[in-house]
Amino acid sequence: MKAVRFIVAAILQALPYILQLAMCQQWEAALKKIECPCGSAKELSDCCGVWHAGLALGVYAPTPEALMRSRYSAYVLGLIDYLMATWHPSSTPGDLELQPVKWLGLEVRHAAAAGDAGVVEFVARCRLNGRAERMHETSRFAREGGRWYYIDGQFTEPD
């Protein structure tokens, strides 16, 4: 129940129109019907929302791909605290301000982990200032203390 309330709070912060659903007595049922932004076709509460809510409870994304998907969803939902907490301390920007971007979708092209290192190649589509954009990145991840962190990414220029 505590995890569900945390997820609802995060969604309310990111998506003002969800506020109307939260006002209803069926807010928990409404939450179950929200599809996860990461493209898994699962409900948010059964996908990335688990990692968003679990962070405060010591429940972390189990793979680099799960962390990358949850970070994409955090960008969509505006969860700056989650993004900062999952950034490796050696490369964190210290401060993060999100641009007004409409995220349109995520395609994971490759994900691998060996020991405490992982990589995920993905393409994220968005609309920025009315223009369609594609962000093609290969991200690096490191596991420390049983928890995965985002280190950095290399962008691939569009063809």
Side-chain angles (χ1 to χ4, degrees):
M1 187 66 162
K2 191 174 187 180
V4 171
R5 286 193 175 133
F6 178 84
I7 293 169
V8 169
I11 291 172
L12 289 176
Q13 177 187 16
L15 303 170
Y17 68 86
I18 298 293
L19 181 58
Q20 295 172 356
L21 293 175
M23 297 292 184
C24 300
Q25 291 183 341
Q26 295 85 17
W27 63 270
E28 287 183 59
L31 177 63
K32 291 266 185 211
K33 294 181 176 134
I34 297 171
E35 189 171 320
C36 190
C38 82
S40 66
K42 296 179 183 175
E43 295 171 349
L44 178 62
S45 61
D46 293 330
C47 194
C48 295
V50 171
W51 315 128
H52 298 157
L55 192 62
L57 304 170
V59 178
Y60 309 117
T63 65
E65 181 178 352
L67 179 59
M68 190 282 305
R69 285 181 176 279
S70 70
R71 285 178 54 83
Y72 171 84
S73 293
Y75 274 103
V76 173
L77 299 170
L79 304 178
I80 293 174
D81 290 343
Y82 183 82
L83 292 166
M84 296 301 290
T86 56
W87 221 306
H88 194 273
S90 69
S91 60
T92 185
D95 206 14
L96 182 63
E97 187 175 318
L98 300 180
Q99 296 180 10
V101 173
K102 175 159 179 59
W103 294 100
L104 304 172
L106 175 68
E107 173 193 352
V108 175
R109 294 197 170 171
H110 174 77
D116 292 330
V119 295
V120 179
E121 179 188 2
F122 67 92
V123 175
R125 296 178 302 105
C126 67
R127 187 164 301 283
L128 179 62
N129 297 323
R131 286 188 34 199
E133 303 272 341
R134 289 170 33 100
M135 183 177 79
H136 185 177
E137 179 179 321
T138 300
S139 298
R140 294 186 314 142
F141 296 85
R143 182 170 45 195
E144 291 183 3
R147 177 178 169 189
W148 287 100
Y149 291 91
Y150 169 78
I151 298 175
D152 60 19
Q154 293 268 339
F155 292 101
T156 301
E157 293 298 321
D159 298 331

